[in-house]
Amino acid sequence: QKPCHHSGSAGEKGLALVTLGNPLRGDDGVAARLCDSLPDSVMENVCRFDLESNSSQLADCLSGHQAAIVLDATSGGATTG
């Protein structure tokens, strides 16, 4: 995971890609594994943050970015959202 090049810059720029989930809990780490499979060309201008179970840091990751994609998983069978 490379450092965020948008941190501390003036204005909001770029895309934050945030993964949530504890990799020790089976499918809960699927978000990070999915991002691992993305080609370098896709990740070139993206700031990736693997928070695992530290969702309290989400606001810090979003700061300085124009847009964000947050990936998480659920296995309870309930409707997501």
Side-chain angles (χ1 to χ4, degrees):
Q1 184 170 318
K2 62 185 179 183
C4 174
H5 54 276
H6 299 108
S7 179
S9 63
E12 294 181 342
K13 301 175 184 168
L15 176 69
L17 177 58
V18 182
T19 67
L20 297 169
N22 185 337
L24 301 177
R25 294 188 60 203
D27 68 331
D28 205 24
V30 71
R33 288 195 306 273
L34 173 66
C35 290
D36 289 342
S37 69
L38 295 173
D40 290 339
S41 60
V42 171
M43 298 300 295
E44 190 172 300
N45 294 310
V46 173
C47 296
R48 177 178 168 180
F49 302 93
D50 294 320
L51 297 186
E52 296 184 356
S53 58
N54 299 312
S55 60
S56 63
Q57 297 175 353
L58 181 59
D60 293 333
C61 297
L62 302 180
S63 178
H65 296 90
Q66 184 176 13
I69 298 172
V70 180
L71 298 172
D72 196 0
T74 182
S75 63
T79 303
T80 60

